[in-house]
């Protein structure tokens, strides 16, 4: 099903060459509001994208052009309302055309412009693959319909096994929703990213889009309700998790539970303090990775 409109078609044609508007690629400056203390995570390198939809910034993504998929997306959590929007997948014209309008655009029903295909993942990469489209910034963590729709851009998506996406990872997204909606009193900053394979990079069928071995997520809520129930004592101001995306992975980072339902077995999520996550990121990336300014110590 396509969600392409003639309006979007006109935007695409019109902005093909000469628009001198801000590109929203290569610099987080216009969207620093999505990072705690306006401080994007340190230690990872890629192409910054300020994700713009209908002329408003919605979240931020650090994109990897060679992997044609994101390192992480960063966003502000808000309590969701209404139903999940129907999937209307979009792309970023400015990754293909530096002068293009910064708004994301729905994929056209027919063939996709070759420069767009070269510059990013497209719907055909995922069609008939053994991976689903896994949101980093999930639609579930946003209030407005437009904010939720904006998460359906392929630059916010990685190849994720259905056993993770529909199982333990979805449970994590719901747990975070419950925890933050109940006890976070101010802004909740979330960063969700991936951990690549150590060696033997995995790719979607035609070797264009890289598959992550793990997904991770961390939030920072400096202003929270102090009367926390016992089981949430460690969950504020910051907490993190790593989820398996490959049944064959070893169990050093995330152990496997043998009691999980068969279809979800091997896709466990392990919740952990932020510094434990940062230790695993440092090990795998070979450099210090800092997700939040001063580890979200809340010293404002
Ligand atoms: C996907 O698989 C179906 C069934 O095997 C096939 O008919 C279709 O052409 C395939 N689509 C693509 C894009 O490969
Ligand atoms: C998210 O949290 C809100 C507020 O607590 C709740 O009403 C809603 O049902 C939750 N959504 C899901 C999918 O868990
Ligand atoms: C904090 O949590 C307690 C216990 O759940 C609740 O009674 C109280 O109203 C909350 N305070 C605020 C400011 O939300
Ligand atoms: C896991 O191992 C099996 C058996 O060696 C292999 O067929 C499968 O492709 C592997 N899965 C992944 C995601 O690499």
């Amino acid at each position: 099903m396509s969600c392409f409109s003639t309006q979007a078609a006109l935007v695409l044609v019109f902005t093909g060459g000469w628009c001198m508007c801000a590109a929203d690629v290569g610099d987080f400056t216009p969207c620093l509001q999505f990072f705690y203390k306006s401080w994007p995570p340190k230690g990872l390198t890629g192409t910054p994208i300020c994700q713009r939809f209908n002329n408003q910034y919605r979240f931020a993504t650090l994109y990897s052009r060679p992997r044609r998929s994101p390192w992480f997306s960063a966003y502000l959590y808000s309590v969701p309302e209404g139903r999940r929007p129907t999937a209307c997948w979009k792309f970023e014209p400015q990754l293909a055309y530096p002068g293009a309008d910064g708004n994301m655009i729905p994929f056209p029903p027919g063939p996709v412009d070759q420069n767009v295909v070269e510059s990013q993942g497209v719907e055909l990469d995922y069609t008939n693959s053994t991976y689903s489209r896994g949101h980093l910034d999930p639609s579930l963590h946003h209030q407005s319909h437009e904010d939720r729709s904006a998460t359906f851009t392929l630059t916010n998506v990685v190849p994720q096994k259905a056993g993770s996406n529909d199982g333990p990872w979805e449970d994590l997204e719901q747990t975070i929703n419950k925890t933050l909606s109940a006890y976070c009193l101010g802004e909740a900053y979330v960063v969700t990213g991936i951990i690549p394979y150590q060696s033997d990079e995995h790719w979607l069928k035609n070797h264009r889009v890289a598959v992550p071995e793990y997904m991770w997520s961390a939030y920072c809520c400096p202003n929270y309700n102090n009367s926390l129930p016992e089981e949430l004592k460690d969950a504020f101001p910051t907490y993190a998790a790593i989820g398996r995306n490959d049944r064959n992975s070893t169990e050093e980072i995330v152990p496997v539970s043998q009691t999980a339902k068969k279809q979800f077995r091997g896709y466990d999520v392990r919740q952990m303090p932020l510094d434990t996550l940062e230790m695993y990121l440092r090990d795998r990336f070979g450099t210090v990775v800092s997700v939040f300014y001063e580890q979200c110590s809340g010293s404002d």
Side-chain angles (χ1 to χ4, degrees):
M1 201 186 65
S2 170
C3 46
F4 196 66
S5 66
T6 43
Q7 190 196 355
L10 285 175
V11 170
L12 182 56
V13 170
F14 190 68
T15 58
W18 312 107
C19 175
M20 294 305 286
C21 27
D24 298 331
V25 157
D27 189 358
F28 279 138
T29 305
C31 55
L32 287 174
Q33 69 267 32
F34 300 115
F35 300 100
Y36 175 57
K37 303 271 189 198
S38 301
W39 196 89
K42 301 288 177 281
L44 302 173
T45 51
T47 302
I49 300 178
C50 287
Q51 299 278 9
R52 184 140 61 100
F53 178 55
N54 286 353
N55 285 319
Q56 266 184 45
Y57 292 118
R58 309 289 171 170
F59 60 102
T61 296
L62 188 70
Y63 193 65
S64 167
R65 286 181 180 269
R67 298 172 64 84
R68 291 196 184 84
S69 51
W71 288 120
F72 65 73
S73 285
Y75 58 96
L76 280 164
Y77 165 86
S78 56
V79 182
E81 253 172 27
R83 296 191 321 148
R84 189 181 201 259
T86 40
C88 167
W89 291 101
K90 299 178 236 359
F91 66 94
E92 311 291 329
Q94 73 282 23
L95 283 175
Y97 297 100
D101 182 276
N103 285 297
M104 55 181 81
I105 297 178
F107 281 104
V112 178
D113 178 308
Q114 197 54 35
N115 288 325
V116 172
V117 175
E118 277 308 311
S119 64
Q120 56 203 286
V122 296
E123 292 189 288
L124 267 182
D125 289 318
Y126 287 85
T127 311
N128 288 355
S129 83
T130 58
Y131 289 87
S132 67
R133 302 170 203 194
H135 281 79
L136 294 188
D137 173 3
S139 140
L140 170 68
H141 288 176
H142 295 283
Q143 188 154 61
S144 81
H145 183 79
E146 286 203 324
D147 280 355
R148 302 182 84 172
S149 302
T151 65
F152 290 84
T153 173
L154 286 188
T155 54
N156 177 44
V157 156
V158 294
Q160 187 181 12
K161 284 290 184 188
S164 161
N165 204 356
D166 303 336
W169 193 259
E170 184 178 5
D171 294 345
L172 174 73
E173 290 173 346
Q174 293 190 3
T175 302
I176 292 172
N177 174 48
K178 293 214 168 67
T179 304
L180 293 179
S181 61
Y183 295 100
C184 186
L185 300 176
E187 307 281 29
Y189 301 86
V190 190
V191 183
T192 299
I194 64 100
I195 301 180
Y197 284 87
Q198 183 101 57
S199 53
D200 282 336
E201 203 64 86
H202 288 43
W203 299 85
L204 286 186
K205 55 196 178 171
N206 47 14
H207 218 273
R208 282 173 33 85
V209 178
V211 174
E213 183 173 8
Y214 296 94
M215 298 175 60
W216 58 267
S217 185
Y219 62 76
C220 167
C221 164
N223 181 11
Y224 57 95
N225 185 337
N226 274 309
S227 4
L228 293 169
E230 197 52 40
E231 69 275 14
L232 291 178
K233 283 278 187 278
D234 294 329
F236 286 92
T238 180
Y239 214 50
I242 298 181
R244 300 167 64 94
N245 192 35
D246 185 341
R247 284 191 157 135
N248 299 348
S249 295
T250 61
E251 299 192 42
E252 282 124 41
I253 302 180
V254 185
V256 169
S257 148
Q258 294 307 327
T259 57
K261 274 209 201 126
K262 194 151 173 257
Q263 85 230 63
F264 303 136
R265 201 168 298 160
Y267 296 113
D268 304 64
V269 167
R270 176 183 155 200
Q271 299 200 39
M272 58 183 72
L274 177 67
D275 56 1
T276 308
L277 166 67
E278 288 181 341
M279 177 194 75
Y280 287 121
L281 295 177
R282 186 190 61 216
D283 282 356
R284 186 59 62 96
F285 285 97
T287 183
V288 173
V289 176
S290 303
V291 180
F292 297 116
Y293 176 77
E294 289 188 350
Q295 292 198 309
C296 183
S297 55
S299 52
D300 6 49

